[in-house]
């Protein structure tokens, strides 16, 4: 949103401040100013001069010598401009002055171009006549300026006057960042109202007084709204005897300062009202409206409509159209149609000001591939009361500018308009919220300046309809804070009961996972939740597997990001492959990320988002190194019982003989193993890689951070080593579980220290050796205690097929 300061001052005439003061004050009260630029930057000593005499240059065919009256004196200027003649009034830069740029209209030099008296081909020249480009502007903003040559003023321009002032360049354009909830500030009146309250000045809005010529608009046009949910109000007025011509200079200058190119009086009026009131309008050639009827309805699927820019737009039933009795004439809130456009031959004009459904306009603009200034405002949701004021203002300007006559009356089709919102006023609560001591009178003065009324009987504030952002007491408190001054609010301690801030239990588990992984040399990675359906083939997931039931993204960035992941290994393996192909020798990575498991497809409710702790590595380390990291994690969570590792995990992406499902107290927590050689090839990893995946939701029930202190043992420990042969299919974990079960309370520890297979062990068996530690808490163990425990252990091991080695 851009506005010229002179336009703001038209409604706040008492406003007096520097550009920087305006910028700072407006930003502090919530209307953020992004920046500003003076239009007369680098323009110095430029006046209106009148050419009294022109002679040819004695030594140059393309130069002429002009005698120019600048009011106080007549000076001589040599120029090559082809478009000047005696009697013309032109902008003249005097000796020592500056212009903004060159005649070619290229980038403006920093600091401007100084002009000094000198000689051109031997003839003295005491200044320079300017083109509009040399004044820092262009023909798009000053359409009356010649394409090549000096700018010519109107005949009534006073000689010697300030040419910059006469051109409307003694002004500053401010750029604002307006939040979407303040749709009222997408207008000059809205900004002016904010400026008036900020600086404590009087806001004087324009008064809409339409001089009507008689007749009745209802006799000219009828309006039918078939979809009131998309169009809550439609106002139509008729203007006759239209005379197309240029708009007045003051209107052209205000539009130009806002970045809008002046075209003609009729188009400029609609643009002017849109900027002034924040209400987009449209004008139709009345003679092109079939049946003298306007119908507001949805388009039909497959319809094609040609807009004013000559482009064909494909429509569907969600796009709202403005139609006559036979055809579409405009896309509601976006752009009119080529078939009803205003031409130079127009005699009667139908003005439209409406309130459309904001979200529908935004979606429709995206559907048809056309976003305009009007749609950008409509999509924020407009005040239906503003439509009538804006259309009356446009008709008022039609008469005042001599553009035509206004038929009496207005056709107004609308839904019941909402009453003004009321919010209870509690000064004490506002002060408590803000930590201030603002009096009730000060608050009411602020509200009155904002046009917020106060009902003394009900103690309620009556909110004007243009302030759609004020819905509750907190919003009212913010208004007080904005205009009382954020810088005046003292620093206070927060009130209320103190609470102890800490991480939730789940987040503490995740934090512990990071600590353990990083302690073990792993670096954190983050992988995409969106993946390609080809991932399942790369990971050898069989057809029909539940993992293939992935959620499809409705508007993906591409096929490679078209589904939500159901397992985390693809991202991890891609990261490992990237490191491997960049010749990193030893890599350890971990990730804490969600997978997305739908209950059914298509989705009927949100999927199950499951946090998984994924570890991946290659280089130094093996299966047992990865197993050690998993057990370190379990131990850090207080999971003191031994986890079980089932080699029959059944994961197709892991090596069939080097994988294990991880169970704890019979519950499946995850899996680990060496990556299948075929999968490694699919990811271009030329070495063995290992992964482990743990389901955080499954780990949570077993985790605890409660710790019980136990003193240092007072009595000595006794160790015993046992070596045995067992069938190869018996797992070491089974042996450890049996030893723990049979060892009783005095068994303190059991450590595996040797596994051997070879010629000295009978076929089909392996040799396994453990070191056992026994200790009692209340006495020194005797030989009978240890012998009894060892006997129970050996009996249990025999049940697993173990034989002691002699």
């Amino acid at each position: 949103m851009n506005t010229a300061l002179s336009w703001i001052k038209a409604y706040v005439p008492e406003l007096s401040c520097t550009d920087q003061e305006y910028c700072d004050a407006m930003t502090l009260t919530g209307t953020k100013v992004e920046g500003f630029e003076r239009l007369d930057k680098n323009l110095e000593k430029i006046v209106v001069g009148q050419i009294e005499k022109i002679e040819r240059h004695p030594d140059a065919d393309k130069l002429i010598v002009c005698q120019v009256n600048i009011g106080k004196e007549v000076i001589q200027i040599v120029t090559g401009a082809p478009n000047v003649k005696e009697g013309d009034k032109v902008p003249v830069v005097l000796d020592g002055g500056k212009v903004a740029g060159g005649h070619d209209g290229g980038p403006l030099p920093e600091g401007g171009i100084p002009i000094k008296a000198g000689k051109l081909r031997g003839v003295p020249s005491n200044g320079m006549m300017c083109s509009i480009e040399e004044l820092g502007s262009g023909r798009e903003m000053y359409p009356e300026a010649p394409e090549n040559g000096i700018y010519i003023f109107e005949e009534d321009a006073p000689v010697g006057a300030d040419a910059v002032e006469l051109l409307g360049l003694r002004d500053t354009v401010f750029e604002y960042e307006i939040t979407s909830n303040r749709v009222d500030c997408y207008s000059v009146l809205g900004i002016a109202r904010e400026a008036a309250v900020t600086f404590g000045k009087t806001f004087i809005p324009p008064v809409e007084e339409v001089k009507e010529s008689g007749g009745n608009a209802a006799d000219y046009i009828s309006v039918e709204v078939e979809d009131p949910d998309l169009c809550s109000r439609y106002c139509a007025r008729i203007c006759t005897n239209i005379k197309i011509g240029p708009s007045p200079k003051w209107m052209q200058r205000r539009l130009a300062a806002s970045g809008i190119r002046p075209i003609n009086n009729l188009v400029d009026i609609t643009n002017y009202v849109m900027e002034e009131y924040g209400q987009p309008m449209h004008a139709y050639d009345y003679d092109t409206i079939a049946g003298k009827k306007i119908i507001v309805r949805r388009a039909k699927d497959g319809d094609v409509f040609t807009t004013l820019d000559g482009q064909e737009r494909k429509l569907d039933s969600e796009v709202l159209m403005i139609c006559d009795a036979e055809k579409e004439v405009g896309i509601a809130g976006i752009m009119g149609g080529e078939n009803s456009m205003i031409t130079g031959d127009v005699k009667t004009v139908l003005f439209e000001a409406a309130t459309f459904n904001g979200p529908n306009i935004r979606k429709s603009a995206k559907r048809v591939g056309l976003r305009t200034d009007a749609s950008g405002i409509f999509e924020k949701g407009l005040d239906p009361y503003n439509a009538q004021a804006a259309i009356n203002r446009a008709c008022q300007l039609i008469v005042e500018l001599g553009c035509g006559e206004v038929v009496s009356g207005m056709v107004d089709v609308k839904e019941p308009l909402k009453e003004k919102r009321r919010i209870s006023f509690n000064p004490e609560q506002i002060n408590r919220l803000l930590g201030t001591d603002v009096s009730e009178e000060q608050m009411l003065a602020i509200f009155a300046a904002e046009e917020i009324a106060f009902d003394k009987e009900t103690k309620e504030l009556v909110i004007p309809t243009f302030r759609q952002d004020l819905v509750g007491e907190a919003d009212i408190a913010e208004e007080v804070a904005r205009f009382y001054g954020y810088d005046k609010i003292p620093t206070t301690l927060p009130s209320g009961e103190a609470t102890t801030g800490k991480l939730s239990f789940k987040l503490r588990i995740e934090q512990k996972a990071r600590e353990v992984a990083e302690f073990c040399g792993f670096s954190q990675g983050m992988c995409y939740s969106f993946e390609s359906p080809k991932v399942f083939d790369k990971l050898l997931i069989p057809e029909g597997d539940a993992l293939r039931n992935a959620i499809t993204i409705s508007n993906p960035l591409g096929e490679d990001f078209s589904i939500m992941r159901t397992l985390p290994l693809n991202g991890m393996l891609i990261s490992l492959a990237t490191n491997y192909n960049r010749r990193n020798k030893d890599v350890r990575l971990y990730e804490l990320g969600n997978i997305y498991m739908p209950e059914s497809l298509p989705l009927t409710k949100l999927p199950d988002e499951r946090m998984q702790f994924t570890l991946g590595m290659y280089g130094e380390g093996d299966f047992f190194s990865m197993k050690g990291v998993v057990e370190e994690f379990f131990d850090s969570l207080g999971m003191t019982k031994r986890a079980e590792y089932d080699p029959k995990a059944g994961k197709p992406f892991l090596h069939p003989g080097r994988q294990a499902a991880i169970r704890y107290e019979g519950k499946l927590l995850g899996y680990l193993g060496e990556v299948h050689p075929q999968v490694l090839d699919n990811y271009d990893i030329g070495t063995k890689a290992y992964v482990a995946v743990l389901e955080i939701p499954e780990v949570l029930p077993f985790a605890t951070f409660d710790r019980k202190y136990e003193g240092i043992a007072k009595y000595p420990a006794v160790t015993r080593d046992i070596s045995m042969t067992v069938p190869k299919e018996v797992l070491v974990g089974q042996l450890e579980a049996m030893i723990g079960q049979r060892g009783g309370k005095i068994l303190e520890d059991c450590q595996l220290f040797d596994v051997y297979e070879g010629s000295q062990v009978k076929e089909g068996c392996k040799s396994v050796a453990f070191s056992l530690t026994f200790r009692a808490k209340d006495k020194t163990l005797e030989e009978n205690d240890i012998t009894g425990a060892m006997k129970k252990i050996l009996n249990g091991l025999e049940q697993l097929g173990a034989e002691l080695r002699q």
Side-chain angles (χ1 to χ4, degrees):
M1 178 70 189
N2 293 351
T3 66
L5 185 59
S6 60
W7 201 348
I8 299 296
K9 289 182 176 179
Y11 310 121
V12 192
E14 298 173 353
L15 183 61
S16 178
C17 59
T18 66
D19 295 339
Q20 191 61 52
E21 288 172 345
Y22 179 87
C23 175
D24 294 341
M26 291 293 283
T27 299
L28 195 59
T29 55
T31 309
K32 184 180 178 183
V33 179
E34 285 287 289
F36 62 89
E37 182 178 6
R38 286 203 61 85
L39 297 181
D40 59 355
K41 180 182 178 182
N42 300 325
L43 300 179
E44 298 179 10
K45 299 180 69 174
I46 305 176
V47 300
V48 177
Q50 186 169 23
I51 301 173
E52 295 187 344
K53 185 178 180 180
I54 296 179
E55 297 177 337
R56 302 195 66 80
H57 193 290
D59 294 325
D61 293 338
K62 294 185 178 181
L63 297 179
I64 56 175
V65 181
C66 303
Q67 304 302 319
V68 183
N69 181 5
I70 59 171
K72 296 180 180 179
E73 60 179 320
V74 176
I75 62 174
Q76 179 172 289
I77 297 176
V78 179
T79 182
N83 68 314
V84 295
K85 63 182 184 300
E86 292 180 0
D88 283 347
K89 295 180 178 180
V90 298
V92 176
V93 190
L94 304 179
D95 179 26
K98 281 184 179 181
V99 292
H103 183 73
D104 59 0
L108 300 182
E110 191 67 32
I113 301 174
I115 303 298
K116 296 185 177 297
K119 291 184 179 182
L120 285 178
R121 300 292 292 270
V123 177
S125 181
N126 297 312
M128 185 182 82
M129 293 182 278
C130 302
S131 67
I132 198 64
E133 288 79 12
E134 288 162 331
L135 295 173
S137 191
R139 292 185 68 248
E140 68 278 3
M141 300 306 174
Y142 291 83
E144 74 277 11
E147 187 171 355
N148 292 297
I150 303 302
Y151 182 85
I152 310 296
F153 284 108
E154 300 286 343
E155 293 182 1
D156 59 354
V159 174
D162 184 345
V164 178
E165 178 75 27
L166 204 61
L167 286 166
L169 294 174
R170 294 285 183 212
D171 206 350
T172 305
V173 176
F174 291 87
E175 179 184 358
Y176 306 88
E177 180 185 323
I178 307 297
T179 54
S180 58
N181 67 321
R182 287 302 305 273
V183 67
D184 59 302
C185 286
Y186 284 89
S187 67
V188 176
L189 288 178
I191 297 292
R193 188 181 289 108
E194 289 285 306
V197 184
T198 297
F199 291 95
K201 305 299 181 182
T202 304
F203 173 61
I204 305 176
V207 179
E208 302 102 22
E209 294 180 346
V210 184
K211 184 179 179 182
E212 299 177 335
S213 61
N216 187 349
D219 295 335
Y220 283 77
I221 195 75
S222 64
V223 176
E224 179 184 345
V225 178
E226 293 186 0
D227 294 282
D229 58 320
L230 301 183
C231 177
S232 58
R233 188 173 195 180
Y234 191 99
C235 301
R237 296 204 68 157
I238 302 293
C239 297
T240 59
N241 299 323
I242 296 296
K243 302 176 183 65
I244 299 294
S247 55
K249 290 292 189 292
W250 62 266
M251 180 176 283
Q252 291 187 30
R253 302 299 179 253
R254 287 181 178 180
L255 289 174
S258 297
I260 299 175
R261 181 172 62 90
I263 298 175
N264 59 49
N265 50 6
L266 188 59
V267 176
D268 290 352
I269 285 171
T270 59
N271 286 333
Y272 184 86
V273 173
M274 180 175 73
E275 290 294 305
E276 186 179 41
Y277 279 73
Q279 171 67 52
M281 297 181 57
H282 192 68
Y284 299 96
D285 186 339
Y286 175 76
D287 294 328
T288 65
I289 304 299
K292 309 311 175 190
K293 183 176 184 179
I294 289 293
I295 303 173
V296 184
R297 61 168 176 80
R298 283 177 164 88
K300 297 176 182 177
D301 290 330
D303 282 356
V304 177
F305 180 70
T306 304
T307 47
L308 279 171
D309 56 4
Q311 299 294 315
E312 289 188 348
R313 310 287 175 178
K314 293 182 179 180
L315 311 175
D316 61 34
S317 59
E318 293 300 316
V319 178
L320 190 66
M321 301 297 293
I322 309 298
C323 311
D324 60 20
E326 299 176 356
K327 62 186 181 300
E328 296 94 347
V329 295
I331 304 178
I334 301 177
M335 184 177 282
E338 192 177 49
N339 55 10
S340 61
M341 67 185 297
I342 299 293
T343 66
D345 298 328
V346 66
K347 299 300 180 186
T348 304
V349 165
L350 166 65
F351 268 127
E352 164 196 287
T355 307
F356 301 115
N357 179 278
N360 177 262
I361 295 299
R362 178 177 59 82
K363 294 175 182 177
S364 295
K366 187 175 182 179
R367 281 189 178 92
V368 302
L370 177 62
R371 197 170 190 273
T372 60
D373 291 340
S375 69
I377 296 176
F378 271 123
E379 67 187 23
K380 294 172 176 64
L382 299 186
D383 173 17
Y385 287 89
N386 197 37
Q388 180 175 347
I391 200 169
N392 286 339
R393 175 62 167 162
C395 291
Q396 178 186 11
L397 292 171
I398 287 286
V399 176
E400 290 181 356
L401 304 187
C403 183
E405 299 175 353
V406 180
V407 174
S408 299
M410 176 179 72
V411 178
D412 185 8
V413 178
K414 61 180 180 292
E415 291 294 287
L417 299 180
K418 294 182 180 179
E419 295 183 359
K420 293 183 179 180
R421 187 182 295 111
R422 287 173 171 261
I423 300 175
S424 60
F425 177 51
N426 187 337
E428 293 78 12
Q429 176 62 15
I430 291 174
N431 278 320
R432 279 197 298 270
L433 281 171
L434 299 178
T436 56
D437 187 21
V438 183
S439 68
E440 180 176 336
E441 290 73 21
Q442 284 178 286
M443 293 184 188
L444 291 176
I446 291 172
F447 298 144
E450 292 188 274
E451 302 180 32
I452 299 174
F454 177 58
D455 188 333
K456 292 183 179 179
E457 293 183 2
T458 62
K459 287 283 186 179
E460 291 178 321
L461 297 171
V462 184
I463 310 302
T465 57
F466 59 79
R467 288 303 302 271
Q468 300 181 41
D469 60 306
L470 302 182
V471 295
E473 191 174 43
D475 301 314
I476 294 300
E478 182 183 11
E479 296 304 296
V480 174
R482 288 202 301 136
F483 294 112
Y484 172 72
Y486 289 115
D487 55 329
K488 297 179 184 177
I489 298 177
T491 302
T492 57
L493 292 173
S495 61
E497 296 181 1
T499 58
T500 303
K502 64 178 182 179
L503 294 176
S504 66
F505 185 72
K506 176 177 177 294
L507 291 180
R508 291 179 70 190
I509 298 297
E510 294 175 14
Q511 184 183 54
K512 185 61 66 175
R514 293 186 186 92
E515 290 176 0
V516 170
E518 290 166 10
F519 174 79
C520 295
F522 288 76
S523 298
Q524 185 170 13
M526 296 185 70
C527 303
Y528 290 113
S529 294
F530 297 165
E531 293 184 335
S532 168
K534 299 176 182 177
V535 165
F536 302 121
D537 293 333
K538 293 177 70 175
L539 292 173
L540 310 181
I541 304 296
E543 294 292 337
D545 194 289
L547 292 174
R548 287 183 176 264
N549 296 329
I551 302 165
T552 302
I553 307 300
S554 60
N555 55 342
L557 297 174
E559 186 185 5
D560 289 344
F561 302 95
S562 61
I563 62 169
M564 303 291 287
R565 66 179 181 177
T566 56
L567 74 169
L569 290 184
N570 177 64
M572 178 59 69
L573 292 175
I574 288 176
S575 298
L576 292 176
T578 301
N579 280 276
Y580 177 80
N581 290 307
R582 291 180 181 175
R583 302 183 187 279
N584 291 327
K585 294 182 179 179
D586 297 302
V587 175
R588 294 188 173 199
L589 299 174
Y590 78 93
E591 182 198 11
L592 281 164
N594 287 336
I595 61 169
Y596 305 86
M597 304 301 295
E599 183 177 291
S600 61
L601 292 175
L603 286 176
T604 56
K605 63 179 183 180
L606 292 176
D608 180 16
E609 297 186 27
R610 303 183 66 80
M611 174 67 71
Q612 294 198 330
F613 179 30
T614 306
L615 299 157
M617 70 177 189
Y618 68 79
E620 185 177 350
D622 56 16
F623 178 94
F624 296 102
S625 302
M626 184 66 80
K627 177 173 173 285
V629 177
V630 172
E631 293 184 340
E632 179 74 21
F633 175 55
F634 289 164
D635 186 61
S636 70
L637 298 182
M639 298 167 63
T640 55
K641 296 181 180 179
R642 290 184 180 275
E644 300 172 6
Y645 298 88
D646 182 359
K648 299 177 182 179
K651 302 298 181 184
F653 41 80
L654 298 180
H655 193 293
R658 299 167 190 171
Q659 59 175 282
I662 305 170
R663 288 187 169 84
Y664 190 84
E665 294 187 5
K667 188 75 171 181
L668 180 64
L669 303 188
Y671 55 86
L672 80 158
E674 180 183 322
V675 180
H676 196 289
Q678 181 60 51
V679 174
L680 292 173
D681 289 343
N682 293 340
Y683 283 90
D684 295 327
I685 301 175
T687 186
K688 292 181 179 180
Y690 302 89
V691 295
V693 177
L694 294 172
E695 296 260 9
I696 295 297
E698 302 299 334
V699 171
L700 290 177
F702 302 108
T704 178
F705 291 101
D706 295 334
R707 298 291 187 269
K708 184 178 180 180
Y709 171 75
E710 292 185 1
I712 298 174
K714 297 179 180 180
Y715 301 98
V718 178
T719 60
R720 292 285 188 272
D721 293 344
I722 55 174
S723 179
M724 68 198 85
T725 58
V726 295
K728 286 186 177 181
E729 62 270 14
V730 176
L731 302 178
V732 170
Q734 293 175 280
L735 298 175
E736 288 181 338
M738 182 60 72
I739 293 172
Q741 177 185 345
R742 294 300 184 101
K745 294 181 180 181
I746 64 172
L747 179 65
E748 185 177 75
D749 191 23
C750 171
Q751 294 289 334
L752 173 74
F753 67 86
D754 182 60
V755 177
Y756 172 74
E757 294 180 25
S759 59
Q760 299 179 15
V761 180
K762 66 181 179 180
E763 188 176 350
C765 293
K766 60 185 176 183
S767 172
V768 181
F770 291 94
S771 177
L772 308 182
T773 302
F774 298 92
R775 190 197 306 265
K777 296 180 179 180
D778 55 352
K779 66 175 183 177
T780 300
L781 291 175
E782 298 179 358
E783 184 65 27
N784 292 336
D785 299 324
I786 299 169
T787 302
M790 286 296 297
K791 186 175 181 180
K792 291 180 181 179
I793 291 172
L794 294 174
N795 290 337
L797 293 176
E798 288 178 1
Q799 297 176 16
L800 297 176
E803 296 179 3
L804 282 179
R805 295 187 65 187
Q806 302 300 324

